[in-house]
Amino acid sequence: MEEIARLRKLSGILYGVALALSAILPVVVLIYAGKGVTDPSSLLAQAPLVPAGTPVSQVQAGLVGALGILSVLPMVAALRGMARLFGRYAEGTVLEAGNAETILRIGRALVLVALFTILVPTAQTLILSWAAPDKVLAIGLDGGTLGFLMAAGLLTVIGWAMREAARVKAENEGFV
């Protein structure tokens, strides 16, 4: 019983954090995208491989901003799913098929986050280097991104396993 109380309390806290982050994160990205469009040359600071002084148009800045906004969507979806899951856990609903589906969706969204972490900066750097004498195509992959991708894959598999456990639980309840 003590474990359930701990789960409910921690889930209640995490519910609030996930919900707040899902609202704050898009606003922060929109602010940075807006700053980039109003001052396109400021984007060069975020792309160290693009030569300093490379002209950046508002169209380029808009594309870079649009990619930034697009890339935040899977994280917002994951955070909203987490808020939903933590809310259900805070209510004491743990081993249910709906929770398993939510975990699966969170895992899939986080896989997209990891992929976007690789692809979006690559595309943004390429866009910013359009007017440079030499175009830049740099694909960044580090241990943190690989670890995040593995954790997202793990969460996806846990979602599948939870779905099966919830199915077996429901089946067993039918026999009683």
Side-chain angles (χ1 to χ4, degrees):
M1 192 57 97
E2 186 178 317
E3 292 296 318
I4 294 293
R6 236 185 278 165
L7 173 69
R8 291 178 78 167
K9 181 179 179 181
L10 180 57
S11 293
I13 293 167
L14 292 173
Y15 167 82
V17 171
L19 197 58
L21 286 174
S22 73
I24 293 168
L25 188 59
V27 172
V28 170
V29 172
L30 283 172
I31 289 169
Y32 276 104
K35 181 182 179 234
V37 171
T38 58
D39 182 13
S41 62
S42 69
L43 294 172
L44 291 177
Q46 305 303 316
L49 297 175
V50 178
T54 300
V56 179
S57 70
Q58 282 193 316
V59 170
Q60 287 170 285
L63 288 172
V64 167
L67 282 174
I69 292 166
L70 177 69
S71 72
V72 80
L73 295 178
M75 179 56 87
V76 171
L79 287 167
R80 298 295 295 189
M82 288 177 198
R84 224 175 0 266
L85 184 66
F86 291 137
R88 300 218 0 122
Y89 286 172
E91 294 168 352
T93 306
V94 179
L95 189 56
E96 298 291 328
N99 292 354
E101 292 302 321
T102 300
I103 292 169
L104 187 56
R105 281 193 297 275
I106 293 167
R108 289 175 178 159
L110 291 177
V111 167
L112 282 176
V113 169
L115 293 175
F116 279 19
T117 300
I118 298 165
L119 299 176
V120 169
T122 300
Q124 288 173 326
T125 300
L126 186 60
I127 290 167
L128 291 173
S129 71
W130 278 349
D134 295 316
K135 309 300 179 255
V136 178
L137 178 62
I139 299 172
L141 187 61
D142 61 13
T145 304
L146 288 174
F148 189 84
L149 186 57
M150 289 301 296
L154 173 66
L155 202 55
T156 302
V157 170
I158 288 171
W160 286 331
M162 289 285 294
R163 182 190 323 171
E164 182 61 18
R167 186 192 64 74
V168 168
K169 177 187 173 210
E171 187 176 290
N172 287 341
E173 287 174 348
F175 290 125
V176 174

